[in-house]
Amino acid sequence: MSLAFKFKFGGDEDVRVDDANEGDVPDNDNGWTVGGMTTLGIIPSVLGLDDILSALPSNIQYNTIQLQAPYDGKITLPRRELFDIRAQLMAEDSSVDEVQAGLSTEDIRPNVYEGGFKTWECSIDLANYLVSQADLPDFSLVDLNSYITGQLGAGTAIPSLLLFHQLLSSAPVPEPPRRALVLADYNPAVLNLATIPNLLLTYALTADFIPPEAGDLEITPALLSSFKAVLAERNIHIRPVAGRWGTMLAALIFPASDRPPGETLVLASETIYSPESTVAFTICLEDMMRRSEEVGERRRASWLVAAKKMYFGVGGGVDEFLAMLRDRRGDGKLVWETEEIESGVGRCILEVRRAA
């Protein structure tokens, strides 16, 4: 049965989702069962950062968003313009389904394109929440010297851009500890054309290659060399991971060979918009939490999930996610919610943990 529905994602924009049916994801990560048919979706894989950077066009357009910082300050973050992404996609004339979906009027096409080219408001909520948790008055978001940071459903990666901005803005230290920044999105094209370009733009802003207002960035060999040199100098390891939720993705985000002791911060937004995505995401999250605990010297792990309280017409929402999480030895605590419900849709942020 084919369903068509709309639900508000903020502002005046509606999201249209076609062919979405309730389903499940087995623990063995063999794929999603949707409408009685099992589809593998995009099998998880790690993408090469150098490959992504070398494939970027010579010039990209960007705009900026501002986050409210302590003491009435502002943090400016750049992000690639959606029209610029679409222009590149059209110029490349790709026939890949996920790319074609990104070019269409659909914001989401389940199991094909998960909406990562756009910035959804829950990701901005999450970034603003991180700012609100800063240590005053020094505005140190977290002790990033020993963090393994990951963002699930990265898309335009606003929360990760904030942390990356703060990390690059901090004074360098001799022999810095290893820092892993893992960015996971269902679609490789989103990581290639939005997520990683936005990290490059953030570096360009902190290094004064571009001004803190909308414009364009010329991508030169010198810029890319400088970007890679700073990553090496600060011992930052960016790992883009593409593919469906599940234990396979969890293993790529927390591989046994790359889990140094230290603190873990995992972020997610707009990942539970339907029953099938909620099941798959919960399985992935639970497995990541289990893997995180396997490193006995790890000091602390924080898991933050931002979402609409209810996704009308789809069946997803916070209550369903919490029920599923509790069935898998997890739990969640509300740490932030909208003071006023706009357009009838409330938003919140949950701190997720494994049950004692």
Side-chain angles (χ1 to χ4, degrees):
M1 174 178 166
S2 177
L3 300 177
F5 48 83
K6 294 183 178 181
F7 50 91
K8 280 286 188 181
F9 268 80
D12 295 324
E13 295 182 352
D14 287 337
V15 174
R16 180 180 177 86
V17 183
D18 296 321
D19 301 319
N21 298 277
E22 290 195 11
D24 200 356
V25 179
D27 283 354
N28 62 6
D29 201 23
N30 284 333
W32 293 24
T33 300
V34 182
M37 297 180 62
T38 298
T39 176
L40 287 176
I42 297 177
I43 296 175
S45 64
V46 178
L47 308 183
L49 178 63
D50 286 345
D51 293 337
I52 296 174
L53 293 174
S54 64
L56 290 175
S58 60
N59 186 282
I60 58 176
Q61 304 284 319
Y62 69 92
N63 59 29
T64 63
I65 65 169
Q66 287 192 327
L67 304 176
Q68 186 69 45
Y71 299 106
D72 296 323
K74 299 284 186 182
I75 298 176
T76 300
L77 297 176
R79 56 180 175 176
R80 191 177 183 186
E81 287 274 16
L82 182 58
F83 74 79
D84 192 55
I85 295 173
R86 287 176 170 159
Q88 182 179 347
L89 291 174
M90 288 187 288
E92 294 175 350
D93 193 25
S94 175
S95 60
V96 179
D97 285 346
E98 62 170 317
V99 173
Q100 291 300 315
L103 282 169
S104 74
T105 57
E106 295 172 279
D107 286 315
I108 295 175
R109 187 184 297 174
N111 300 327
V112 176
Y113 165 69
E114 294 293 334
F117 289 134
K118 296 186 64 177
T119 298
W120 304 109
E121 60 187 351
C122 284
S123 68
I124 298 176
D125 290 340
L126 193 50
N128 279 318
Y129 175 75
L130 290 172
V131 172
S132 75
Q133 299 305 296
D135 295 329
L136 302 179
D138 296 328
F139 188 44
S140 172
L141 285 173
V142 285
D143 178 13
L144 288 173
N145 286 338
S146 56
Y147 253 78
I148 301 172
T149 305
Q151 185 174 348
L152 307 178
T156 59
I158 299 302
S160 291
L161 299 185
L162 169 67
L163 297 176
F164 190 53
H165 178 279
Q166 292 302 111
L167 185 55
L168 294 179
S169 300
S170 64
V173 297
E175 299 184 5
R178 179 182 176 88
R179 302 155 172 128
L181 177 57
V182 185
L183 297 141
D185 195 276
Y186 183 75
N187 296 106
V190 168
L191 294 164
N192 293 338
L193 303 176
T195 312
I196 299 304
N198 284 352
L199 285 176
L200 181 62
L201 283 164
T202 300
Y203 163 70
L205 179 62
T206 60
D208 295 325
F209 282 97
I210 56 175
E213 59 259 356
D216 66 289
L217 171 67
E218 183 180 358
I219 300 178
T220 63
L223 172 68
L224 296 180
S225 294
S226 176
F227 177 59
K228 294 175 187 179
V230 167
L231 294 180
E233 175 189 348
R234 292 176 176 266
N235 205 3
I236 301 170
H237 299 262
I238 297 172
R239 186 161 66 245
V241 183
R244 64 176 185 254
W245 304 127
T247 55
M248 289 177 63
L249 188 75
L252 293 177
I253 294 173
F254 279 102
S257 61
D258 187 22
R259 280 182 283 164
E263 298 187 356
T264 300
L265 175 64
V266 176
L267 310 169
S269 64
E270 306 284 17
T271 52
I272 56 172
Y273 71 83
S274 68
E276 61 270 20
S277 68
T278 301
V279 174
F281 173 72
T282 306
I283 289 173
C284 183
L285 190 65
E286 189 272 337
D287 195 60
M288 287 177 60
M289 288 191 286
R290 178 186 61 79
R291 291 172 181 274
S292 165
E293 291 176 355
E294 289 177 359
V295 181
E297 296 181 29
R298 191 176 305 287
R299 295 192 298 273
R300 183 168 64 93
S302 299
W303 310 79
L304 297 173
V305 178
K308 300 287 189 299
K309 292 186 177 180
M310 180 180 295
Y311 292 87
F312 295 105
V314 195
V318 169
D319 289 344
E320 291 76 11
F321 169 60
L322 287 175
M324 202 169 298
L325 190 64
R326 288 162 185 154
D327 286 342
R328 303 189 65 85
R329 294 184 58 240
D331 202 357
K333 178 179 71 174
L334 182 70
V335 295
W336 178 89
E337 62 182 328
T338 48
E339 295 181 2
E340 296 181 4
I341 298 178
E342 302 171 1
S343 305
V345 181
R347 307 189 309 276
C348 67
I349 297 174
L350 300 170
E351 183 178 0
V352 176
R353 58 187 179 276
R354 279 170 66 86

